[in-house]
Amino acid sequence: MSDTACLYIVPTPIGNLSDISTRALEVLNTVDLIAAEDTRHSSRLLQHYGIQTRTISLHSHNESQRSKQLIEKLEAGISVALISDAGTPLISDPGYELVNECRLKNIKVSALPGPCALTTALSASGLPTDRFMFSGFLSLKKQAKEQALLDAANSNITQVFYESPRRVKDTLLLCKSILPASTRYTLAKELTKTFETYVTGSIDQVLDYLQADPSHEKGEFVFMLYTPLTCKNDIPSEAISLLEQLFEVLPPKKAASIVAQHYDLNKKSLYEYGLKAKENR
Ligand code: SAM
């Protein structure tokens, strides 16, 4: 194998064209071939920067077959840059099969740092950043989605998801119905673009923003949440959610007793948690 053969992972802007790095442009200019998720989409960026390198498509529908072809080229000493439509390739984008195969075959892989909606949104979210989990897009299946949200709220760390404008309101309505009221949210919209917006706060504050104007539901979204487990780390978020609802309508002891029985939990812990949560509201 040639010493020069390398697969470069090259992040591209997520909105603002000026966010591409000088090094990314250098790599795109000097490699033999650019593998792009959508060659037509990427041609606008490449034209804008006067890059004339040959492009080839690599998307979710041809990834296996195209990866094999690219491996052959890399083994023959051809250098390749991988780009996606926007942001960092492989982050909810194609490329995993190619990179994995390169690693198995000892082909050099070098990733350039750069734009990514996940890190951009998280860094300005106002939610804890010492530990976080990114799970890409939520499932379209209701039960799996509910479980993912409950797990997120039980995790005690910031959770980051990509969300489609078609589903963002329904997802937040679901959060309202199943997650503890103490959960804090940040919705990061249209990052690096003209109408970049961050909405942070309680579920009602975030829903108020989305429902205030139909245009607020349009655009690209990163959706983040953090549920502080201030009291008992062993109370699952679905129990907390029920407890909060029952505390509004029943005497505290009765509410704690029902939840304890339903989830097989300690009544006293629930009672104490409920009182504290109510005080803090
Ligand atoms: N690889 C990309 C990255 O590094 O961010 C993500 C690709 S994924 C297919 C596209 C999703 O990323 C969008 O549906 C949206 O959730 C999020 N996204 C991409 N650009 C964004 C932006 N400018 N503002 C907010 N979210 C964005």
XYZ file of all heavy atoms in Angstrom, residues 11-16 37 84-94 114-121 134 136-137 161-165 188-193 196-197 219-223, ligand 1:
376
model
N -15.257 17.605 8.002
C -16.528 18.263 8.339
C -16.759 19.485 7.451
O -15.807 20.187 7.094
C -16.331 18.708 9.799
C -15.126 17.976 10.288
C -14.274 17.745 9.090
N -18.011 19.717 7.115
C -18.372 20.883 6.284
C -19.418 21.714 7.051
O -20.019 21.224 8.014
C -18.933 20.412 4.919
O -20.018 19.522 5.163
C -17.866 19.721 4.078
N -19.654 22.962 6.649
C -20.545 23.846 7.422
C -21.954 23.281 7.642
O -22.490 22.575 6.784
C -20.595 25.103 6.561
C -19.299 25.103 5.818
C -19.004 23.668 5.522
N -22.536 23.638 8.786
C -23.932 23.239 9.061
C -24.888 24.406 8.762
O -26.050 24.361 9.136
C -24.122 22.741 10.515
C -23.681 23.796 11.550
C -23.408 21.426 10.739
C -24.069 23.441 12.987
N -24.402 25.414 8.123
C -25.256 26.564 7.776
C -24.412 27.695 7.224
O -24.555 28.075 6.068
N -23.490 28.152 8.041
C -22.660 29.289 7.655
C -21.428 28.808 6.884
O -20.568 28.123 7.436
C -22.244 30.040 8.925
C -21.542 31.333 8.615
O -20.825 31.437 7.615
N -21.745 32.315 9.460
N -21.924 12.535 0.371
C -23.237 11.917 0.602
C -24.154 12.209 -0.603
O -24.836 11.323 -1.106
C -23.827 12.504 1.891
C -25.106 11.835 2.314
C -25.644 12.436 3.613
O -25.089 13.432 4.114
O -26.661 11.896 4.105
N -20.126 14.813 4.217
C -21.573 14.558 4.177
C -22.257 15.849 3.763
O -21.588 16.843 3.474
C -22.062 14.045 5.526
O -21.822 14.999 6.530
N -23.586 15.858 3.750
C -24.291 17.062 3.288
C -23.955 18.265 4.163
O -23.889 19.391 3.694
C -25.815 16.837 3.307
C -26.248 15.931 2.166
O -25.398 15.609 1.316
O -27.437 15.536 2.141
N -23.807 18.012 5.469
C -23.482 19.107 6.389
C -22.909 18.519 7.665
O -23.317 17.441 8.096
C -24.744 19.901 6.728
N -21.960 19.209 8.248
C -21.419 18.784 9.534
C -20.383 17.681 9.416
O -19.736 17.516 8.380
N -20.278 16.905 10.475
C -19.239 15.879 10.559
C -19.773 14.551 10.021
O -20.780 14.046 10.516
C -18.788 15.714 12.033
O -18.294 16.978 12.485
C -17.698 14.675 12.170
N -19.093 13.985 9.007
C -19.516 12.676 8.508
C -19.552 11.650 9.653
O -18.800 11.790 10.634
C -18.414 12.322 7.498
C -17.842 13.627 7.075
C -17.930 14.524 8.283
N -20.404 10.664 9.507
C -20.585 9.569 10.491
C -21.410 9.961 11.712
O -21.852 9.102 12.473
C -19.255 8.975 11.005
C -18.568 7.963 10.076
C -17.658 8.662 9.074
C -17.792 6.933 10.862
N -21.614 11.267 11.967
C -22.445 11.651 13.106
C -23.873 11.770 12.571
O -24.220 12.772 11.927
C -21.958 12.985 13.745
C -20.478 12.880 14.128
C -22.811 13.347 14.971
C -20.133 11.751 15.117
N -24.659 10.685 12.769
C -25.978 10.546 12.135
C -25.876 10.728 10.620
O -26.763 11.287 9.980
C -26.993 11.543 12.712
O -27.319 11.198 14.023
N -24.794 10.286 10.066
C -24.531 10.362 8.624
C -23.756 9.122 8.194
O -23.139 8.460 9.044
C -23.680 11.612 8.321
C -24.554 12.813 7.982
O -25.719 12.611 7.600
O -24.055 13.947 8.091
N -23.731 8.829 6.875
C -23.011 7.632 6.421
C -21.495 7.727 6.621
O -20.961 8.816 6.821
C -23.335 7.579 4.916
C -24.358 8.589 4.657
C -24.398 9.546 5.793
N -14.206 19.976 13.199
C -14.981 21.004 12.499
C -16.441 21.000 12.865
O -16.837 20.404 13.873
N -17.273 21.654 12.041
C -18.685 21.843 12.380
C -19.430 20.538 12.677
O -19.252 19.538 11.987
C -19.272 22.491 11.119
C -18.115 23.112 10.429
C -16.930 22.263 10.743
N -20.262 20.604 13.699
C -21.107 19.470 14.073
C -22.257 20.048 14.894
O -22.016 20.777 15.866
C -20.298 18.475 14.896
S -21.267 17.054 15.405
N -23.495 19.748 14.504
C -24.642 20.336 15.214
C -24.655 19.900 16.676
O -25.017 20.675 17.564
C -25.936 19.935 14.516
N -24.244 18.656 16.938
C -24.236 18.127 18.309
C -23.386 18.985 19.245
O -23.867 19.489 20.268
C -23.717 16.674 18.264
C -23.031 16.099 19.498
C -23.999 15.969 20.657
C -22.436 14.734 19.174
N -22.105 19.171 18.908
C -21.206 19.894 19.821
C -21.528 21.387 19.838
O -21.403 22.035 20.877
C -19.733 19.662 19.438
O -19.607 19.845 18.029
C -19.282 18.282 19.829
N -21.953 21.908 18.699
C -22.297 23.333 18.642
C -23.461 23.609 19.596
O -23.411 24.523 20.421
C -22.686 23.726 17.198
O -21.646 23.322 16.325
C -22.912 25.218 17.063
N -24.515 22.791 19.489
C -25.709 22.993 20.319
C -25.397 22.773 21.795
O -25.774 23.571 22.654
C -26.804 22.018 19.881
N -25.288 11.263 23.362
C -25.918 11.632 22.094
C -26.528 10.377 21.494
O -25.840 9.360 21.365
C -24.858 12.213 21.153
C -25.339 12.406 19.754
C -26.344 13.325 19.470
C -24.799 11.676 18.702
C -26.798 13.505 18.172
C -25.242 11.852 17.401
C -26.246 12.774 17.137
N -28.553 10.461 18.496
C -29.024 10.682 17.127
C -30.507 11.008 17.111
O -31.007 11.737 17.971
N -31.226 10.446 16.138
C -32.667 10.692 16.023
C -33.437 9.699 16.907
O -33.069 8.528 16.980
C -33.125 10.533 14.575
C -32.627 11.621 13.668
C -31.449 11.477 12.950
C -33.338 12.809 13.531
C -30.980 12.489 12.113
C -32.888 13.823 12.703
C -31.707 13.663 12.000
N -30.355 14.925 21.253
C -30.989 14.235 20.119
C -31.062 15.183 18.928
O -31.192 16.402 19.108
C -32.438 13.834 20.457
C -32.574 12.935 21.651
C -32.856 13.472 22.906
C -32.422 11.563 21.537
C -32.982 12.659 24.020
C -32.550 10.735 22.649
C -32.831 11.279 23.897
N -31.016 14.638 17.731
C -31.390 15.400 16.546
C -32.890 15.194 16.371
O -33.418 14.112 16.668
C -30.648 14.889 15.307
C -29.188 15.286 15.274
C -28.266 14.594 14.480
C -28.721 16.370 16.016
C -26.934 14.962 14.435
C -27.383 16.744 15.975
C -26.499 16.036 15.187
O -25.170 16.406 15.143
N -33.598 16.231 15.913
C -35.041 16.082 15.761
C -35.515 16.756 14.478
O -34.996 17.798 14.081
C -35.753 16.673 17.004
C -37.217 16.408 17.084
C -37.609 14.929 16.905
O -37.479 14.429 15.761
O -38.073 14.294 17.864
N -36.496 16.118 13.853
C -37.029 16.656 12.597
C -38.090 17.722 12.910
O -38.822 17.603 13.901
C -37.637 15.497 11.805
O -38.902 15.839 11.350
N -38.195 18.752 12.061
C -39.221 19.783 12.299
C -40.635 19.194 12.280
O -41.535 19.722 12.929
C -39.011 20.774 11.145
C -38.145 20.079 10.152
C -37.376 19.026 10.869
N -32.174 23.883 20.207
C -31.243 24.724 19.439
C -31.647 24.627 17.977
O -31.701 23.537 17.415
C -29.823 24.224 19.631
N -31.970 25.758 17.395
C -32.591 25.753 16.062
C -31.763 26.575 15.076
O -31.229 27.629 15.433
C -33.977 26.386 16.236
C -34.835 26.338 15.017
C -36.140 27.060 15.246
C -36.404 27.899 14.022
N -37.732 28.239 13.749
N -31.630 26.044 13.849
C -30.995 26.797 12.756
C -29.602 27.325 13.140
O -29.269 28.493 12.884
C -31.908 27.959 12.328
C -33.209 27.499 11.691
C -32.983 26.886 10.314
O -32.769 25.657 10.253
O -33.021 27.627 9.322
N -28.815 26.452 13.743
C -27.487 26.873 14.235
C -26.627 27.434 13.119
O -26.605 26.882 12.009
C -26.790 25.665 14.874
C -27.497 25.139 16.119
C -26.898 23.810 16.568
C -27.437 26.158 17.243
N -25.942 28.484 13.438
C -25.010 29.213 12.540
C -25.715 29.910 11.378
O -25.062 30.478 10.510
C -23.859 28.323 11.976
O -24.370 27.497 10.916
C -23.210 27.443 13.029
N -27.050 29.843 11.333
C -27.780 30.485 10.222
C -28.404 31.799 10.705
O -28.378 32.113 11.899
C -28.881 29.548 9.713
C -28.354 28.191 9.259
C -29.466 27.373 8.669
C -29.128 25.900 8.670
N -30.211 25.072 8.192
N -30.776 31.650 13.798
C -30.318 30.798 14.914
C -31.061 31.186 16.201
O -31.165 32.361 16.540
C -28.820 30.997 15.120
C -28.293 30.285 16.349
C -26.788 30.429 16.519
O -26.035 29.802 15.764
O -26.372 31.178 17.423
N -31.595 30.169 16.896
C -32.367 30.423 18.124
C -32.089 29.330 19.150
O -32.044 28.144 18.797
C -33.898 30.381 17.808
O -34.159 31.252 16.722
C -34.738 30.782 19.004
N -37.380 24.438 10.357
C -35.922 24.545 10.452
C -35.297 23.277 10.988
O -35.948 22.241 11.091
N -34.021 23.368 11.324
C -33.302 22.196 11.823
C -33.111 22.330 13.336
O -32.792 23.410 13.832
C -31.939 22.102 11.145
C -32.062 21.850 9.659
C -30.743 21.381 9.073
O -29.871 22.228 8.838
O -30.586 20.163 8.867
N -33.310 21.215 14.035
C -33.325 21.264 15.499
C -32.364 20.273 16.151
O -32.265 19.124 15.724
C -34.712 20.894 16.033
C -35.774 21.913 15.756
C -36.549 21.833 14.604
C -35.993 22.965 16.634
C -37.534 22.774 14.344
C -36.978 23.910 16.385
C -37.756 23.811 15.236
N -31.741 20.725 17.221
C -31.107 19.810 18.171
C -31.895 19.971 19.468
O -32.190 21.087 19.893
C -29.620 20.146 18.406
C -29.005 19.147 19.386
C -28.853 20.144 17.094
N -32.245 18.832 20.052
C -33.129 18.830 21.210
C -32.360 18.206 22.378
O -31.793 17.126 22.240
C -34.363 18.008 20.792
C -35.175 17.434 21.894
C -35.848 18.254 22.774
C -35.307 16.056 22.031
C -36.618 17.717 23.790
C -36.081 15.507 23.028
C -36.734 16.347 23.910
N -23.518 15.093 10.524
C -24.321 16.225 10.926
C -23.630 16.935 12.086
O -22.430 16.787 12.257
O -24.292 17.696 12.792
C -25.736 15.800 11.263
C -26.451 15.139 10.141
S -28.094 14.671 10.525
C -28.537 13.792 9.091
C -28.996 16.155 10.291
C -29.596 16.666 11.590
O -28.624 17.402 12.325
C -30.725 17.666 11.380
O -31.971 16.998 11.170
C -30.720 18.429 12.696
O -31.353 17.690 13.716
C -29.216 18.497 12.972
N -28.665 19.728 12.380
C -27.878 19.834 11.305
N -27.581 21.139 11.055
C -28.224 21.864 11.997
C -28.325 23.256 12.273
N -27.737 24.164 11.511
N -29.071 23.636 13.341
C -29.678 22.724 14.123
N -29.620 21.402 13.898
C -28.898 20.974 12.847
